[in-house]
Amino acid sequence: MENNNHIKQSREEKRNGYFTVAAVVSALLFAIFGLVPALWVGVARHKQAPDNDRRMSRMLLVDAAGSLRGALSAMRLCNEPETAESVGKTALVYVVRAETALECEEDGYESSRDKEEFLNDVYAVLTAPDPMEAAYRAELMYEYSVKFYDHVTNGADFGYNGELAAKPTTLPAPPPEPTENDISASADFVKRILDADSAQHIGGWDGKIEYEVTRDSVSGYALTDGKRIAEFSFSHDGQTQNGEVDTDKAVETALDCAAACGYPNMEAYNIEVNGNAAIVMLCKNIDGAKCSGECATVTVVNGAAQSFRSGDCDCDHDVPSVKVEESKARSAAPKASGEGVLVTYNDGKRDRVCYEYRYELDDGVHYVYVCAENGKQAKVK
């Protein structure tokens, strides 16, 4: 399993990289409209210093580190969500500036890793659903920002071990490695459920076992925990035999596929036709509302399920009661073309129950969610 652990570590590193890019993109607007002039004032000040040959990236990094230190110092004084959110937005700008300047440095990955992880974790704290999360951790963030500033200005040592991530002191034990009997039994399970000709063990992670599978000479893969199939996919060209897609039949096939993989009692949430393939999203029904955040997805071609991927379908929910009728809630959905679908999702703090309205605009599909508790817009995506 050593190779699988290496693959998993590589995936985590890539995910962290994507996380950094997301930080840059999401906070860039603040810099454009509010604090760019201040940045260039700082750069000009550094240019006038005797050390004129310092690279621009170094000047930007010093300016951002100092400004971040000041913003996080102010965060220590916040005791209301409104003020914490306001200061947090300012601090985010300096996080992005520091991250951008750091990317331009030539120190190499190893020497920059602690600094990048520190900035990523500050970003995560500042963008938490509860603005007070940043206020609660302000002292620790400020402490590290002082060390970070001292490092970029004076070359002092800087070390960071993920303290801001607030990881539990005792981590859960990793799932046991599957035995040869487990692997063999799971292979039989996969072949039976997918009607596959062969299932060759190729690895796995997080307690799941991965197989390379073949069915009617078509190759694919499957991932299972031995009791359910979390995902599978077979190669296909997306072409149907008659050039048309029977959506009703596709939904029926998708439901049967989910049940066979170990996810019964699902229902159709959405269906899209991509070329000649039907992509069916299934979800659980929680107290009359479709659980939009825990969908399973099935791709159906030629009347057969060619791929399946399950969501997180085993969560407990406490869905609020509906207090606003759909006909009244619709007024909060601009130019809604039809009746909203009652859905539930978790906003990071609690379960919400909303009416979902679908819009097909010139740039693609968008959704408006209107709270079924108060009739106000809750989310737009």
Side-chain angles (χ1 to χ4, degrees):
M1 303 298 287
E2 180 179 353
N3 185 50
N4 293 323
N5 291 332
H6 175 72
I7 294 174
K8 184 177 180 182
Q9 180 180 1
S10 176
R11 289 175 175 168
E12 292 297 329
E13 290 174 354
K14 290 181 179 179
R15 187 177 297 117
N16 291 337
Y18 298 149
F19 183 72
T20 300
V21 173
V24 173
V25 173
S26 62
L28 186 57
L29 291 178
F30 299 119
I32 292 175
F33 290 106
L35 294 165
V36 166
L39 172 63
W40 290 110
V41 168
V43 170
R45 183 172 62 249
H46 284 296
K47 282 184 175 180
Q48 294 170 1
D51 192 12
N52 289 332
D53 60 349
R54 299 178 72 181
R55 290 179 292 117
M56 178 64 73
S57 60
R58 173 57 51 172
M59 292 188 288
L60 296 178
L61 183 56
V62 169
D63 185 89
S67 299
L68 177 61
R69 180 187 59 176
L72 295 179
S73 178
M75 180 65 73
R76 298 179 299 172
L77 303 175
C78 297
N79 60 12
E80 292 289 343
E82 291 77 11
T83 56
E85 183 176 13
S86 177
V87 174
K89 287 180 178 179
T90 300
L92 274 174
V93 176
Y94 301 127
V95 170
V96 172
R97 290 179 181 175
E99 177 64 36
T100 303
L102 195 61
E103 290 292 334
C104 296
E105 293 286 289
E106 299 177 354
D107 295 336
Y109 172 74
E110 287 299 327
S111 60
S112 298
R113 181 171 55 185
D114 284 359
K115 291 172 281 186
E116 290 184 352
E117 290 182 353
F118 162 65
L119 292 172
N120 283 344
D121 283 354
V122 171
Y123 173 83
V125 172
L126 293 175
T127 55
D130 182 4
M132 291 304 293
E133 185 71 20
Y136 298 148
R137 305 192 191 187
E139 286 289 350
L140 185 56
M141 288 194 296
Y142 174 69
E143 177 184 337
Y144 271 101
S145 72
V146 171
K147 296 177 180 179
F148 181 63
Y149 180 73
D150 195 24
H151 170 74
V152 300
T153 55
N154 302 316
D157 291 338
F158 180 82
Y160 177 72
N161 293 312
E163 289 84 349
L164 290 172
K167 296 178 180 177
T169 55
T170 56
L171 296 175
E177 294 287 339
T179 65
E180 290 297 328
N181 288 337
D182 293 334
I183 293 172
S184 176
S186 291
D188 292 339
F189 171 74
V190 167
K191 288 191 290 184
R192 176 171 57 84
I193 297 300
L194 300 183
D195 193 24
D197 302 315
S198 65
Q200 179 68 39
H201 176 234
I202 57 175
W205 60 88
D206 292 339
K208 294 183 175 62
I209 310 172
E210 186 174 11
Y211 297 90
E212 181 180 353
V213 295
T214 57
R215 183 174 65 186
D216 297 330
S217 301
V218 178
S219 61
Y221 78 93
L223 191 66
T224 177
D225 61 5
K227 298 178 181 178
R228 297 192 299 187
I229 296 179
E231 59 184 89
F232 74 82
S233 181
F234 289 95
S235 301
H236 61 85
D237 58 11
Q239 299 299 312
T240 60
Q241 295 171 346
N242 58 9
E244 297 179 357
V245 174
D246 184 337
T247 55
D248 291 337
K249 179 65 175 177
V251 169
E252 180 182 346
T253 300
L255 291 170
D256 290 343
C257 172
C261 289
Y263 300 86
N265 304 320
M266 305 285 278
E267 63 181 57
Y269 170 64
N270 189 30
I271 180 170
E272 296 181 3
V273 176
N274 185 3
N276 287 319
I279 303 172
V280 185
M281 295 184 70
L282 309 175
C283 68
K284 295 176 66 176
N285 190 304
I286 309 294
D287 296 335
K290 294 183 177 181
C291 193
S292 61
E294 301 177 6
C295 287
T297 305
V298 185
T299 301
V300 179
V301 181
N302 291 335
Q306 298 293 339
S307 69
F308 169 81
R309 181 166 186 157
S310 65
D312 188 7
C313 301
D314 297 320
C315 297
D316 294 327
H317 294 273
D318 184 14
V319 179
S321 59
V322 174
K323 298 179 181 178
V324 179
E325 295 180 358
E326 190 278 330
S327 58
K328 295 182 179 179
R330 198 181 310 164
S331 61
K335 301 179 181 179
S337 59
E339 184 174 337
V341 177
L342 190 66
V343 303
T344 180
Y345 72 92
N346 192 287
D347 64 2
K349 300 178 184 178
R350 65 183 183 91
D351 285 320
R352 301 288 297 270
V353 60
C354 297
Y355 296 105
E356 179 190 77
Y357 298 88
R358 189 174 190 268
Y359 295 78
E360 294 188 11
L361 305 182
D362 54 356
D363 66 324
V365 177
H366 293 262
Y367 295 88
V368 170
Y369 296 85
V370 179
C371 181
E373 296 176 83
N374 57 29
K376 297 180 179 180
Q377 276 194 9
K379 183 170 68 170
V380 178
K381 71 174 184 179

